Amino acid sequence: MVLIHAGICDSRMWDPQWETFTQSHRVLRYDLRGFGRSPIGPGHFSHARDLIELLEQEDVQKVSIVGVSMGGRVALEVALARPELIQAIVLVGAGFPGHDGSAEMSAAGEAEMAALPRGDLDGAVEVSLRTWADGPRREPGDVDPEVRARVAEMQRRAYELQLPVWETAEEEPLVGNLSERLSEISAPTLVLVGEEDLPDMHEIAGRFERELPNARRASIADAAHLPSMARPREFDQLVLPFLPSAQ
């Protein structure tokens, strides 16, 4: 099993699952380029290509991928580029190229991008937390403060790594026309979304449910964009039974 973190986190987001998933599976978690302990330099790169190279390095022949947010999009690219590797996929609040973001989502992105050039990392982190950790219907006080603090630490680390190459590093897709190729992904897929996540994520999950040939959908209450952190027990109870059935 490979665990791919969200774009506001790094591999530390999987600490709860590292205690549970490793009891029944061989598990690999890693930091995407520009997150956690993985540096990033100028130039073009591909997160999906990086993962394929990592799997080859570890001599992995078959894998189930659990991807959150941006990590879900990376999982879909790998599934299209190397379908023979994939046993099953779990998409958690997964991102999707070409989605026409809501006004709320666009406003959050603009606020974050306004804070970063002036060096206001604390302000940018708080925008990210309000958008993704809290969700549109909750206040910060409604969210576990420990979860908020851990996400803040990981998001700040990502800013620190990425800001020096903000204009010179660029991810390039490994697979083109992803939005038109969902029907090619035949692997069993579990589509998860936190009930408190942005409406955009629920819309994308609905599209996955409709267009992926072998998908089923579930939700987790009282969780926004990071249900594996906010509600780890409920998350594990949905994901772990799904994976053996797909092997």
Side-chain angles (χ1 to χ4, degrees):
M1 184 195 309
V2 150
L3 307 176
I4 315 177
H5 62 79
I8 59 171
C9 296
D10 56 47
S11 62
R12 289 173 288 178
M13 73 167 285
W14 297 114
D15 285 350
Q17 286 68 45
W18 200 249
E19 299 297 322
T20 53
F21 286 11
T22 53
Q23 296 178 25
S24 56
H25 292 76
R26 179 188 176 197
V27 184
L28 174 65
R29 62 172 171 171
Y30 71 107
D31 291 324
L32 294 166
R33 195 184 301 223
F35 296 88
R37 293 174 293 174
S38 292
I40 185 170
H44 292 82
F45 66 95
S46 164
H47 287 312
R49 184 179 295 110
D50 286 346
L51 176 53
I52 290 171
E53 291 176 357
L54 178 60
L55 294 175
E56 291 174 345
Q57 176 184 315
E58 295 295 322
D59 194 28
V60 174
Q61 305 298 317
K62 287 285 187 180
V63 66
S64 296
I65 302 182
V66 182
V68 181
S69 192
M70 181 177 70
R73 188 262 299 164
V74 174
L76 291 171
E77 284 196 61
V78 173
L80 283 168
R82 295 291 301 276
E84 76 282 1
L85 289 175
I86 308 300
Q87 286 182 315
I89 306 168
V90 180
L91 302 173
V92 187
F96 196 57
H99 172 71
D100 187 11
S102 65
E104 182 178 29
M105 192 172 182
S106 298
E110 290 170 4
E112 184 182 14
M113 290 303 103
L116 289 172
R118 61 176 184 261
D120 183 10
L121 296 193
D122 290 340
V125 166
E126 185 59 26
V127 170
S128 183
L129 289 173
R130 293 288 290 118
T131 306
W132 302 112
D134 303 346
R137 301 190 300 183
R138 301 189 299 180
E139 296 298 322
D142 299 327
V143 180
D144 184 339
E146 183 178 343
V147 170
R148 267 186 134 253
R150 283 185 287 154
V151 176
E153 181 182 0
M154 292 185 282
Q155 175 69 97
R156 188 180 185 91
R157 173 60 175 164
Y159 290 148
E160 291 169 348
L161 286 171
Q162 295 170 24
L163 279 173
V165 294
W166 201 265
E167 297 182 354
T168 56
E170 182 179 355
E171 184 189 8
E172 57 185 12
L174 179 61
V175 175
N177 301 319
L178 177 59
S179 63
E180 301 171 9
R181 299 181 60 188
L182 290 179
S183 62
E184 299 177 31
I185 300 175
S186 60
T189 304
L190 177 62
V191 179
L192 287 181
V193 63
E195 290 183 4
E196 299 299 329
D197 207 344
L198 289 173
D200 299 72
M201 298 299 106
H202 290 270
E203 291 175 14
I204 293 171
R207 180 169 179 182
F208 289 148
E209 184 182 23
R210 292 189 304 271
E211 298 187 23
L212 289 166
N214 198 5
R216 66 180 180 89
R217 181 178 173 182
S219 62
I220 296 180
D222 200 21
H225 201 53
L226 304 167
S228 63
M229 295 181 68
R231 290 290 178 266
R233 181 179 177 183
E234 292 86 342
F235 181 84
D236 293 357
Q237 288 174 342
L238 284 170
V239 172
L240 283 173
F242 171 77
L243 294 177
S245 70
Q247 293 175 3

